[in-house]
Amino acid sequence: MSTESADTDPESEPEYEARVGGLHALSRLLDDTTAKISLVLIAIISAMALFAFIDAEFLDYQLASTYLYHPLRAEGGAQPLLPPVGLSNEFGTGVWAHPIGTDTRGRDLAVRILYGSRIAIQIALVSTTIGVVVGTIVGAVAGYYGGWVDDVLMRFVEILYSIPFLVLVIAFMAAFGRNLTYAMIGVSIISVPIFGRLIRSEVLSIREETYVEAAQAAGVKDRNILRRHIIPNSFAPVVVQTTLQMGTNILIVAGLSFLGFGAQPPTPSWGQMLSIARNYMLPAPWFSVWPGVAILVTVMAFNILGDGLRDTLDPRLNE
Amino acid sequence: MTTDTPLLRVENLQTQFNTAEGTVRAVDGISFEVHEGETVGLVGESGAGKSVAISSVLRLVESPGEIVGGEVQFRGESLISFEEGPNGEPRPAPEMLSDKEMRERIRGREIATIFQDPMESLNPVFTVGGQLQEFIEINRDLPPKDARDVAIETLREVDIPKPEDRFGDYPHEFSGGMRQRVLIAMAMACQPSLILADEPTTALDVTVEGEILNLVSTLQEEYGTSLVWVTHDLAVVADICDRVNVMYLGQIAEQAEVNELFYNTKHPYTQALLNSVPRPDKTVESLNPIKGVMPEAINPPSGCRFHPRCPDAREICREINPDPRDVSETSVVHNAACVKHDVFDVGYNASTPIQGAEDEFGEDLQVTEETQ
Amino acid sequence: MSHLQYSVKRLLQAIPVLLGITSITFLLINAMPGSPVEVMLGPTATEEMIESARVRYGFDQPLHIRYVKYIIAVLGGDLGRSIHYGVPVTTKILERLPVTLLLLVSSFTFAISVAIPLGIASARRRNQPIDHASRVVSLIGVSTPNFWIGLVLIIVFGYYLQILPSNGLVMPFTPISEVSGADSRLDVLVETLRSLIMPTIALGTLQMAAISRIERSSMLEVLGRDYIKLARAFGVKESVISRKHAFRNAQLPVVTIIGLQLTSALGGAVLTETVFNINGMGRLIIQAIRTQDYALIMGTTLFFGFMFVVGTLLTDLTYAYLDPRVTYDGE
């Protein structure tokens, strides 16, 4: 940790690194093989998602060939519900052009799953970020000031927490709208209480630490105390929870998509693909497999990363 | 007062911890004895290895810790013993008691323990009386009803008022001092020959500590139990110990009878400890803390482990790590692990004193070595 | 404070939360498209119904009055009327409730009875094969969408092996005549079990994985505590230590997690019931949305919230029962 020369004015105290120096934590993290695996996985998934952000038309133009069909549009002569390579069913035999088969409209499954990652990651990222930011503000204020502010805020959080996540988002979307934007808002709303509570409990314990007392005695403004001392020191569990929450939110979004709330067709999303697959279980069972595997792998990557982070950042307490 | 065979005999005990950063040699060859009826002190700073030594005697060292050498005998029976294996490596010897025998015959029954933190040492979800009763049932082979009566009586003996009522109370309903009395009751109720007490009064405030010490002395006189008392507080040592072992970084620095230790100190570390304690009968300008801090056991200094902080250190001290030898002028044994005594004969007097470079505070400090 | 006093205290604390949930649903109702009349009564309401509802719900009165009237109505068990089914919402909910309860009880029983032994075994045999295996299983379990598990189970056991029914849940007290192939009450019960297996596994896997993880980490933590070391130092057998000394202490965080799992289980019930075509409350809310039956949607949401609050209450009481420190005033 670096320290710079201190001025006499307490307000201009040097910026200290958070107790968990970023680089230090990262290097320790990379010692852990499972964490490495998960980072690789997440890198792959993010690359996929990024790839999917590229304009579809542009992609189609660049890669137009018999090998990759346009994921959002089936051309004439498309073969619906083809099985994966090597298998055959009433619709035909699998071909290498569509390694894991096609969907009901003849669109290549592999590419659709690739594009589906975009929705998953997009929503998870946005909603988790909003959840962290808003939750941090709420939790920090509630924890630091205590008193009636704390009571009111926590009461609100508790109420929000009391309606099962999925049900609340569904009801929310039933009232306001069923598209992607409202899905994101809904999932953000339910992410806020989780972080709010977490930050609050961190703040409560850090608030009692002597260095906070010292800063208060030196006349440092509250918001600066929060910003420089309290929030950096509560960093560790928040990072862990953020990672895990990304995974959880992906699961929630998948569930929403499965039920028809979320990205509307023809935009591909994994949950929605499973919902369609359900109607074709007999003729095309594999259709049900792959989107689920995609969800599983993605969420697992975040969970492994979150666990790895937790082991890296928290054991300092046990040492 | 001493008999021929010591009650407990520890010889060259070695316990280490295999961590990611390396091997921590927490106990690196200590030897001491406890005779019937006596109280032996085990003194040292935090991290010196005292608690590990205690756990090792009972063979309760858990992974990543491991007892790797030495002999421990209790009443002539071998608790820990090593022999040479086929590759020349030490391995546990067959005459050692089995785990089952340790559990059934030794732990709690012959050798009992008192831990440091009474709040943490009592199970919060069970009643105090229930826990006490269980230990009595196991170690004195009594049926529940009898064990319960014994439990209540023992609680009375440690001066817990209304023991019949408090039997059914939970640990959090007791004060710190009361809880420590419960731990003492547990140790005594099983009627052991030896009690290992690991800093039992450190967590208590001074007045309560005084009461507990009195209690322990009284009980000891009455039952003749031997005690090993681990502490970092020299005042407690002076109060209740018959003999004392001073530990530093996993090894024994000095061993002597208590008065000898205080008035005829033979090791610079012990001397420094005594000098650093503030004395109410003297007014001084400044206190004398021991310079520097005790290094970690994973990377001990070369030679004598105390030499970087020792005011009497000389070049020879960097090279030789002495074990305790008798430096006494009388027939009573007084061991010290310091080469400045003639009995070591390594040329201490001829060696040049180590002059210190200044540390970052501008104070004199002995040169600290980085060793591998 | 005795257990009874604590229970009462917790009950009282639950009231503002219930009030808050009701307020949320009230807000959502007012955000719904259409007039409040349509929302609560549906477009097929008769003049008389609208008139009496006007008094009860205060349609033409300012917001705060409507709010109060809504709360009073809810307290009286009146959640509006389902347009699709033509019956009061409460009736419909009560009809579907036992199904969901059966599913929830079944999945939690499955989850707990697998997770706790697994977690304990994992903690006691740390870093040995069973530990690694159970950790991997748990990791997969918390990462898998439950509706996908349901789909895969249906494909394998329902379609290919054809040994388990995949459509609907047979309740134990269904009349024998309505259950195909059943000649006795026993047959009906067997059918109940058969139809329960797959949904239970689908819904309960996430719970099981989460609980076993916390069980393991909690046991590990407790086994490192001083009072465990003391028990060992006094010669207590290892099996007694984990069974008696460690177990109860370790359950405390587990109970907390079970409480948290309730919320995901209730949400999961919606998905599981959809996949298996089970007519429980979860499916009800989806069907209500499909038919734009707003009163039903809101009533069901409210009820879900109530269920969760009750569940949390039970969890807290269990925790207090296990941990004598909780009811103690002084600490």
Side-chain angles (χ1 to χ4, degrees), chain B residues 62 103 107-108 113 120-121 123-124 126 134 139 172 186, chain C residues 226-227 230 232-237 244-245 249 324-325 328:
Chain B
E62 288 174 42
R103 178 171 44 82
R107 293 188 194 131
T113 329
E120 286 299 311
S121 303
N123 196 326
F126 293 130
E134 183 189 6
N139 290 308
H172 63 267
M186 281 175 175
Chain C
D226 280 351
Y227 50 82
L230 188 72
R232 282 204 192 105
F234 275 88
V236 180
K237 262 195 280 205
K244 181 176 165 207
H245 291 256
N249 280 283
R325 291 171 287 189
Y328 184 60

PDB file of all heavy atoms in Angstrom, chain B residues 62 103 107-108 113 120-121 123-124 126 134 139 172 186, chain C residues 226-227 230 232-237 244-245 249 324-325 328:
ATOM      1  N   GLU B  62      -3.691 -30.193  14.897  1.00  0.00           N
ATOM      2  CA  GLU B  62      -4.444 -30.512  13.687  1.00  0.00           C
ATOM      3  C   GLU B  62      -3.754 -30.003  12.441  1.00  0.00           C
ATOM      4  O   GLU B  62      -3.081 -29.000  12.462  1.00  0.00           O
ATOM      5  CB  GLU B  62      -5.831 -29.865  13.762  1.00  0.00           C
ATOM      6  CG  GLU B  62      -6.736 -30.536  14.754  1.00  0.00           C
ATOM      7  CD  GLU B  62      -8.024 -29.768  14.882  1.00  0.00           C
ATOM      8  OE1 GLU B  62      -8.572 -29.317  13.865  1.00  0.00           O
ATOM      9  OE2 GLU B  62      -8.484 -29.612  16.023  1.00  0.00           O
ATOM     10  N   ARG B 103      -7.462 -40.959  23.862  1.00  0.00           N
ATOM     11  CA  ARG B 103      -8.764 -40.366  24.108  1.00  0.00           C
ATOM     12  C   ARG B 103      -9.390 -40.903  25.379  1.00  0.00           C
ATOM     13  O   ARG B 103      -9.929 -40.178  26.196  1.00  0.00           O
ATOM     14  CB  ARG B 103      -9.665 -40.613  22.895  1.00  0.00           C
ATOM     15  CG  ARG B 103     -11.051 -40.073  23.056  1.00  0.00           C
ATOM     16  CD  ARG B 103     -11.853 -40.125  21.773  1.00  0.00           C
ATOM     17  NE  ARG B 103     -11.740 -41.356  21.022  1.00  0.00           N
ATOM     18  CZ  ARG B 103     -12.407 -42.468  21.257  1.00  0.00           C
ATOM     19  NH1 ARG B 103     -13.251 -42.500  22.269  1.00  0.00           N
ATOM     20  NH2 ARG B 103     -12.243 -43.530  20.500  1.00  0.00           N
ATOM     21  N   ARG B 107      -6.774 -38.081  27.864  1.00  0.00           N
ATOM     22  CA  ARG B 107      -7.400 -36.767  27.724  1.00  0.00           C
ATOM     23  C   ARG B 107      -8.562 -36.601  28.681  1.00  0.00           C
ATOM     24  O   ARG B 107      -9.517 -37.364  28.659  1.00  0.00           O
ATOM     25  CB  ARG B 107      -7.886 -36.572  26.291  1.00  0.00           C
ATOM     26  CG  ARG B 107      -6.771 -36.476  25.301  1.00  0.00           C
ATOM     27  CD  ARG B 107      -7.274 -36.087  23.932  1.00  0.00           C
ATOM     28  NE  ARG B 107      -6.240 -36.325  22.941  1.00  0.00           N
ATOM     29  CZ  ARG B 107      -6.412 -36.980  21.798  1.00  0.00           C
ATOM     30  NH1 ARG B 107      -7.617 -37.456  21.507  1.00  0.00           N
ATOM     31  NH2 ARG B 107      -5.413 -37.169  20.977  1.00  0.00           N
ATOM     32  N   GLY B 108      -8.488 -35.610  29.478  1.00  0.00           N
ATOM     33  CA  GLY B 108      -9.554 -35.345  30.430  1.00  0.00           C
ATOM     34  C   GLY B 108      -9.422 -36.175  31.685  1.00  0.00           C
ATOM     35  O   GLY B 108      -9.725 -35.712  32.776  1.00  0.00           O
ATOM     36  N   THR B 113      -7.394 -29.913  30.610  1.00  0.00           N
ATOM     37  CA  THR B 113      -6.966 -28.656  30.011  1.00  0.00           C
ATOM     38  C   THR B 113      -7.859 -27.507  30.457  1.00  0.00           C
ATOM     39  O   THR B 113      -9.046 -27.684  30.687  1.00  0.00           O
ATOM     40  CB  THR B 113      -7.074 -28.732  28.474  1.00  0.00           C
ATOM     41  OG1 THR B 113      -6.855 -30.065  28.063  1.00  0.00           O
ATOM     42  CG2 THR B 113      -6.082 -27.830  27.815  1.00  0.00           C
ATOM     43  N   GLU B 120     -15.344 -18.485  24.340  1.00  0.00           N
ATOM     44  CA  GLU B 120     -15.247 -19.345  23.175  1.00  0.00           C
ATOM     45  C   GLU B 120     -15.125 -20.810  23.543  1.00  0.00           C
ATOM     46  O   GLU B 120     -15.394 -21.690  22.729  1.00  0.00           O
ATOM     47  CB  GLU B 120     -14.035 -18.940  22.327  1.00  0.00           C
ATOM     48  CG  GLU B 120     -14.221 -17.664  21.558  1.00  0.00           C
ATOM     49  CD  GLU B 120     -15.365 -17.762  20.583  1.00  0.00           C
ATOM     50  OE1 GLU B 120     -15.446 -18.733  19.826  1.00  0.00           O
ATOM     51  OE2 GLU B 120     -16.222 -16.855  20.604  1.00  0.00           O
ATOM     52  N   SER B 121     -14.679 -21.098  24.757  1.00  0.00           N
ATOM     53  CA  SER B 121     -14.417 -22.492  25.098  1.00  0.00           C
ATOM     54  C   SER B 121     -15.652 -23.239  25.560  1.00  0.00           C
ATOM     55  O   SER B 121     -15.611 -24.448  25.738  1.00  0.00           O
ATOM     56  CB  SER B 121     -13.353 -22.585  26.191  1.00  0.00           C
ATOM     57  OG  SER B 121     -12.188 -21.929  25.774  1.00  0.00           O
ATOM     58  N   ASN B 123     -19.553 -24.343  24.870  1.00  0.00           N
ATOM     59  CA  ASN B 123     -20.493 -24.485  23.773  1.00  0.00           C
ATOM     60  C   ASN B 123     -21.750 -23.667  24.052  1.00  0.00           C
ATOM     61  O   ASN B 123     -22.447 -23.912  25.034  1.00  0.00           O
ATOM     62  CB  ASN B 123     -20.845 -25.965  23.616  1.00  0.00           C
ATOM     63  CG  ASN B 123     -21.500 -26.253  22.272  1.00  0.00           C
ATOM     64  OD1 ASN B 123     -22.233 -25.416  21.751  1.00  0.00           O
ATOM     65  ND2 ASN B 123     -21.248 -27.413  21.735  1.00  0.00           N
ATOM     66  N   PRO B 124     -22.043 -22.684  23.201  1.00  0.00           N
ATOM     67  CA  PRO B 124     -23.132 -21.767  23.545  1.00  0.00           C
ATOM     68  C   PRO B 124     -24.525 -22.362  23.530  1.00  0.00           C
ATOM     69  O   PRO B 124     -25.438 -21.792  24.118  1.00  0.00           O
ATOM     70  CB  PRO B 124     -23.006 -20.663  22.474  1.00  0.00           C
ATOM     71  CG  PRO B 124     -22.246 -21.276  21.371  1.00  0.00           C
ATOM     72  CD  PRO B 124     -21.361 -22.309  21.947  1.00  0.00           C
ATOM     73  N   PHE B 126     -25.426 -25.371  24.643  1.00  0.00           N
ATOM     74  CA  PHE B 126     -25.708 -26.339  25.707  1.00  0.00           C
ATOM     75  C   PHE B 126     -25.568 -25.665  27.062  1.00  0.00           C
ATOM     76  O   PHE B 126     -24.813 -24.707  27.223  1.00  0.00           O
ATOM     77  CB  PHE B 126     -24.736 -27.514  25.640  1.00  0.00           C
ATOM     78  CG  PHE B 126     -24.918 -28.359  24.404  1.00  0.00           C
ATOM     79  CD1 PHE B 126     -23.836 -28.679  23.619  1.00  0.00           C
ATOM     80  CD2 PHE B 126     -26.165 -28.826  24.043  1.00  0.00           C
ATOM     81  CE1 PHE B 126     -23.995 -29.450  22.479  1.00  0.00           C
ATOM     82  CE2 PHE B 126     -26.331 -29.589  22.902  1.00  0.00           C
ATOM     83  CZ  PHE B 126     -25.239 -29.903  22.119  1.00  0.00           C
ATOM     84  N   GLU B 134     -21.277 -34.023  31.103  1.00  0.00           N
ATOM     85  CA  GLU B 134     -20.833 -34.946  30.055  1.00  0.00           C
ATOM     86  C   GLU B 134     -19.376 -35.345  30.248  1.00  0.00           C
ATOM     87  O   GLU B 134     -19.019 -36.512  30.164  1.00  0.00           O
ATOM     88  CB  GLU B 134     -21.024 -34.297  28.689  1.00  0.00           C
ATOM     89  CG  GLU B 134     -20.640 -35.231  27.555  1.00  0.00           C
ATOM     90  CD  GLU B 134     -20.618 -34.531  26.211  1.00  0.00           C
ATOM     91  OE1 GLU B 134     -20.798 -33.290  26.175  1.00  0.00           O
ATOM     92  OE2 GLU B 134     -20.422 -35.222  25.206  1.00  0.00           O
ATOM     93  N   ASN B 139     -15.146 -39.214  31.781  1.00  0.00           N
ATOM     94  CA  ASN B 139     -13.825 -39.415  32.371  1.00  0.00           C
ATOM     95  C   ASN B 139     -13.830 -40.053  33.739  1.00  0.00           C
ATOM     96  O   ASN B 139     -12.804 -40.481  34.230  1.00  0.00           O
ATOM     97  CB  ASN B 139     -13.089 -38.068  32.425  1.00  0.00           C
ATOM     98  CG  ASN B 139     -12.715 -37.592  31.035  1.00  0.00           C
ATOM     99  OD1 ASN B 139     -12.111 -38.325  30.275  1.00  0.00           O
ATOM    100  ND2 ASN B 139     -13.099 -36.368  30.705  1.00  0.00           N
ATOM    101  N   HIS B 172     -23.703 -17.824  28.052  1.00  0.00           N
ATOM    102  CA  HIS B 172     -23.799 -16.372  27.911  1.00  0.00           C
ATOM    103  C   HIS B 172     -24.463 -15.730  29.119  1.00  0.00           C
ATOM    104  O   HIS B 172     -24.514 -14.506  29.228  1.00  0.00           O
ATOM    105  CB  HIS B 172     -24.549 -15.992  26.624  1.00  0.00           C
ATOM    106  CG  HIS B 172     -25.968 -16.457  26.596  1.00  0.00           C
ATOM    107  ND1 HIS B 172     -26.353 -17.647  26.046  1.00  0.00           N
ATOM    108  CD2 HIS B 172     -27.097 -15.888  27.068  1.00  0.00           C
ATOM    109  CE1 HIS B 172     -27.650 -17.784  26.168  1.00  0.00           C
ATOM    110  NE2 HIS B 172     -28.136 -16.746  26.781  1.00  0.00           N
ATOM    111  N   MET B 186     -14.453 -27.919  35.219  1.00  0.00           N
ATOM    112  CA  MET B 186     -14.361 -29.023  34.265  1.00  0.00           C
ATOM    113  C   MET B 186     -13.037 -29.752  34.426  1.00  0.00           C
ATOM    114  O   MET B 186     -12.977 -30.983  34.458  1.00  0.00           O
ATOM    115  CB  MET B 186     -14.453 -28.490  32.835  1.00  0.00           C
ATOM    116  CG  MET B 186     -15.850 -28.188  32.393  1.00  0.00           C
ATOM    117  SD  MET B 186     -15.797 -27.439  30.750  1.00  0.00           S
ATOM    118  CE  MET B 186     -17.549 -27.333  30.443  1.00  0.00           C
TER     119      MET B 186
ATOM    120  N   ASP C 226     -13.122 -23.170  19.564  1.00  0.00           N
ATOM    121  CA  ASP C 226     -12.444 -23.568  20.796  1.00  0.00           C
ATOM    122  C   ASP C 226     -13.204 -24.608  21.594  1.00  0.00           C
ATOM    123  O   ASP C 226     -12.601 -25.500  22.192  1.00  0.00           O
ATOM    124  CB  ASP C 226     -12.212 -22.333  21.685  1.00  0.00           C
ATOM    125  CG  ASP C 226     -11.010 -21.534  21.235  1.00  0.00           C
ATOM    126  OD1 ASP C 226     -10.279 -22.030  20.362  1.00  0.00           O
ATOM    127  OD2 ASP C 226     -10.799 -20.432  21.755  1.00  0.00           O
ATOM    128  N   TYR C 227     -14.525 -24.499  21.634  1.00  0.00           N
ATOM    129  CA  TYR C 227     -15.238 -25.452  22.487  1.00  0.00           C
ATOM    130  C   TYR C 227     -15.176 -26.868  21.913  1.00  0.00           C
ATOM    131  O   TYR C 227     -15.291 -27.841  22.657  1.00  0.00           O
ATOM    132  CB  TYR C 227     -16.681 -25.026  22.755  1.00  0.00           C
ATOM    133  CG  TYR C 227     -17.491 -24.645  21.553  1.00  0.00           C
ATOM    134  CD1 TYR C 227     -18.103 -25.599  20.757  1.00  0.00           C
ATOM    135  CD2 TYR C 227     -17.675 -23.307  21.226  1.00  0.00           C
ATOM    136  CE1 TYR C 227     -18.861 -25.239  19.665  1.00  0.00           C
ATOM    137  CE2 TYR C 227     -18.422 -22.945  20.138  1.00  0.00           C
ATOM    138  CZ  TYR C 227     -19.015 -23.913  19.347  1.00  0.00           C
ATOM    139  OH  TYR C 227     -19.748 -23.548  18.267  1.00  0.00           O
ATOM    140  N   LEU C 230     -11.881 -28.084  23.074  1.00  0.00           N
ATOM    141  CA  LEU C 230     -11.959 -28.439  24.488  1.00  0.00           C
ATOM    142  C   LEU C 230     -12.597 -29.807  24.646  1.00  0.00           C
ATOM    143  O   LEU C 230     -12.126 -30.635  25.432  1.00  0.00           O
ATOM    144  CB  LEU C 230     -12.775 -27.375  25.238  1.00  0.00           C
ATOM    145  CG  LEU C 230     -12.761 -27.543  26.755  1.00  0.00           C
ATOM    146  CD1 LEU C 230     -11.402 -27.177  27.291  1.00  0.00           C
ATOM    147  CD2 LEU C 230     -13.826 -26.697  27.412  1.00  0.00           C
ATOM    148  N   ARG C 232     -12.567 -32.224  22.600  1.00  0.00           N
ATOM    149  CA  ARG C 232     -11.581 -33.239  22.220  1.00  0.00           C
ATOM    150  C   ARG C 232     -10.570 -33.431  23.332  1.00  0.00           C
ATOM    151  O   ARG C 232     -10.188 -34.562  23.646  1.00  0.00           O
ATOM    152  CB  ARG C 232     -10.835 -32.813  20.959  1.00  0.00           C
ATOM    153  CG  ARG C 232     -11.618 -33.016  19.722  1.00  0.00           C
ATOM    154  CD  ARG C 232     -10.713 -33.151  18.515  1.00  0.00           C
ATOM    155  NE  ARG C 232     -11.537 -33.054  17.329  1.00  0.00           N
ATOM    156  CZ  ARG C 232     -11.594 -31.985  16.540  1.00  0.00           C
ATOM    157  NH1 ARG C 232     -10.821 -30.953  16.786  1.00  0.00           N
ATOM    158  NH2 ARG C 232     -12.399 -31.967  15.505  1.00  0.00           N
ATOM    159  N   ALA C 233     -10.149 -32.294  23.912  1.00  0.00           N
ATOM    160  CA  ALA C 233      -9.142 -32.383  24.976  1.00  0.00           C
ATOM    161  C   ALA C 233      -9.660 -33.133  26.183  1.00  0.00           C
ATOM    162  O   ALA C 233      -8.884 -33.600  27.002  1.00  0.00           O
ATOM    163  CB  ALA C 233      -8.698 -30.980  25.386  1.00  0.00           C
ATOM    164  N   PHE C 234     -10.968 -33.234  26.296  1.00  0.00           N
ATOM    165  CA  PHE C 234     -11.521 -33.984  27.410  1.00  0.00           C
ATOM    166  C   PHE C 234     -11.948 -35.388  27.004  1.00  0.00           C
ATOM    167  O   PHE C 234     -12.645 -36.069  27.745  1.00  0.00           O
ATOM    168  CB  PHE C 234     -12.711 -33.226  28.027  1.00  0.00           C
ATOM    169  CG  PHE C 234     -12.279 -32.219  29.044  1.00  0.00           C
ATOM    170  CD1 PHE C 234     -11.960 -30.934  28.657  1.00  0.00           C
ATOM    171  CD2 PHE C 234     -12.180 -32.563  30.373  1.00  0.00           C
ATOM    172  CE1 PHE C 234     -11.541 -29.998  29.586  1.00  0.00           C
ATOM    173  CE2 PHE C 234     -11.768 -31.628  31.320  1.00  0.00           C
ATOM    174  CZ  PHE C 234     -11.445 -30.346  30.928  1.00  0.00           C
ATOM    175  N   GLY C 235     -11.549 -35.795  25.842  1.00  0.00           N
ATOM    176  CA  GLY C 235     -11.727 -37.198  25.492  1.00  0.00           C
ATOM    177  C   GLY C 235     -13.051 -37.553  24.855  1.00  0.00           C
ATOM    178  O   GLY C 235     -13.414 -38.719  24.803  1.00  0.00           O
ATOM    179  N   VAL C 236     -13.774 -36.577  24.332  1.00  0.00           N
ATOM    180  CA  VAL C 236     -15.044 -36.900  23.693  1.00  0.00           C
ATOM    181  C   VAL C 236     -14.758 -37.514  22.327  1.00  0.00           C
ATOM    182  O   VAL C 236     -13.895 -37.058  21.602  1.00  0.00           O
ATOM    183  CB  VAL C 236     -15.912 -35.630  23.529  1.00  0.00           C
ATOM    184  CG1 VAL C 236     -17.225 -35.962  22.861  1.00  0.00           C
ATOM    185  CG2 VAL C 236     -16.134 -34.974  24.866  1.00  0.00           C
ATOM    186  N   LYS C 237     -15.531 -38.540  21.985  1.00  0.00           N
ATOM    187  CA  LYS C 237     -15.311 -39.226  20.713  1.00  0.00           C
ATOM    188  C   LYS C 237     -15.645 -38.328  19.533  1.00  0.00           C
ATOM    189  O   LYS C 237     -16.582 -37.529  19.590  1.00  0.00           O
ATOM    190  CB  LYS C 237     -16.222 -40.459  20.638  1.00  0.00           C
ATOM    191  CG  LYS C 237     -15.535 -41.753  21.004  1.00  0.00           C
ATOM    192  CD  LYS C 237     -16.359 -42.943  20.568  1.00  0.00           C
ATOM    193  CE  LYS C 237     -17.475 -43.208  21.571  1.00  0.00           C
ATOM    194  NZ  LYS C 237     -17.896 -44.603  21.549  1.00  0.00           N
ATOM    195  N   LYS C 244     -23.115 -34.164  18.093  1.00  0.00           N
ATOM    196  CA  LYS C 244     -23.780 -33.431  19.165  1.00  0.00           C
ATOM    197  C   LYS C 244     -23.205 -32.031  19.355  1.00  0.00           C
ATOM    198  O   LYS C 244     -23.914 -31.032  19.276  1.00  0.00           O
ATOM    199  CB  LYS C 244     -23.624 -34.241  20.453  1.00  0.00           C
ATOM    200  CG  LYS C 244     -24.286 -33.623  21.646  1.00  0.00           C
ATOM    201  CD  LYS C 244     -24.159 -34.546  22.845  1.00  0.00           C
ATOM    202  CE  LYS C 244     -24.479 -33.797  24.128  1.00  0.00           C
ATOM    203  NZ  LYS C 244     -23.820 -34.331  25.300  1.00  0.00           N
ATOM    204  N   HIS C 245     -21.905 -31.961  19.544  1.00  0.00           N
ATOM    205  CA  HIS C 245     -21.318 -30.674  19.893  1.00  0.00           C
ATOM    206  C   HIS C 245     -21.311 -29.688  18.748  1.00  0.00           C
ATOM    207  O   HIS C 245     -21.558 -28.502  18.929  1.00  0.00           O
ATOM    208  CB  HIS C 245     -19.883 -30.877  20.398  1.00  0.00           C
ATOM    209  CG  HIS C 245     -19.802 -31.562  21.717  1.00  0.00           C
ATOM    210  ND1 HIS C 245     -19.521 -30.905  22.881  1.00  0.00           N
ATOM    211  CD2 HIS C 245     -19.997 -32.841  22.054  1.00  0.00           C
ATOM    212  CE1 HIS C 245     -19.526 -31.766  23.890  1.00  0.00           C
ATOM    213  NE2 HIS C 245     -19.808 -32.955  23.410  1.00  0.00           N
ATOM    214  N   ASN C 249     -24.713 -26.112  16.615  1.00  0.00           N
ATOM    215  CA  ASN C 249     -24.143 -24.797  16.324  1.00  0.00           C
ATOM    216  C   ASN C 249     -24.053 -24.545  14.838  1.00  0.00           C
ATOM    217  O   ASN C 249     -24.245 -23.432  14.370  1.00  0.00           O
ATOM    218  CB  ASN C 249     -22.731 -24.695  16.916  1.00  0.00           C
ATOM    219  CG  ASN C 249     -22.754 -24.402  18.379  1.00  0.00           C
ATOM    220  OD1 ASN C 249     -22.984 -23.280  18.783  1.00  0.00           O
ATOM    221  ND2 ASN C 249     -22.524 -25.413  19.172  1.00  0.00           N
ATOM    222  N   PRO C 324     -29.971 -20.467  22.154  1.00  0.00           N
ATOM    223  CA  PRO C 324     -30.519 -19.862  23.370  1.00  0.00           C
ATOM    224  C   PRO C 324     -30.113 -18.395  23.537  1.00  0.00           C
ATOM    225  O   PRO C 324     -30.741 -17.673  24.292  1.00  0.00           O
ATOM    226  CB  PRO C 324     -29.918 -20.711  24.500  1.00  0.00           C
ATOM    227  CG  PRO C 324     -28.775 -21.418  23.903  1.00  0.00           C
ATOM    228  CD  PRO C 324     -29.029 -21.549  22.453  1.00  0.00           C
ATOM    229  N   ARG C 325     -29.116 -17.952  22.785  1.00  0.00           N
ATOM    230  CA  ARG C 325     -28.701 -16.570  22.958  1.00  0.00           C
ATOM    231  C   ARG C 325     -29.699 -15.583  22.390  1.00  0.00           C
ATOM    232  O   ARG C 325     -29.757 -14.443  22.793  1.00  0.00           O
ATOM    233  CB  ARG C 325     -27.351 -16.342  22.265  1.00  0.00           C
ATOM    234  CG  ARG C 325     -26.216 -17.046  22.953  1.00  0.00           C
ATOM    235  CD  ARG C 325     -24.967 -16.973  22.102  1.00  0.00           C
ATOM    236  NE  ARG C 325     -25.064 -17.843  20.943  1.00  0.00           N
ATOM    237  CZ  ARG C 325     -24.048 -18.088  20.129  1.00  0.00           C
ATOM    238  NH1 ARG C 325     -22.889 -17.529  20.353  1.00  0.00           N
ATOM    239  NH2 ARG C 325     -24.187 -18.874  19.102  1.00  0.00           N
ATOM    240  N   TYR C 328     -32.358 -13.952  24.644  1.00  0.00           N
ATOM    241  CA  TYR C 328     -31.838 -13.368  25.878  1.00  0.00           C
ATOM    242  C   TYR C 328     -31.801 -11.862  25.737  1.00  0.00           C
ATOM    243  O   TYR C 328     -31.261 -11.330  24.794  1.00  0.00           O
ATOM    244  CB  TYR C 328     -30.444 -13.931  26.152  1.00  0.00           C
ATOM    245  CG  TYR C 328     -29.850 -13.471  27.437  1.00  0.00           C
ATOM    246  CD1 TYR C 328     -30.468 -13.734  28.651  1.00  0.00           C
ATOM    247  CD2 TYR C 328     -28.640 -12.799  27.450  1.00  0.00           C
ATOM    248  CE1 TYR C 328     -29.903 -13.314  29.836  1.00  0.00           C
ATOM    249  CE2 TYR C 328     -28.074 -12.390  28.640  1.00  0.00           C
ATOM    250  CZ  TYR C 328     -28.695 -12.642  29.835  1.00  0.00           C
ATOM    251  OH  TYR C 328     -28.132 -12.230  30.989  1.00  0.00           O
TER     252      TYR C 328
END
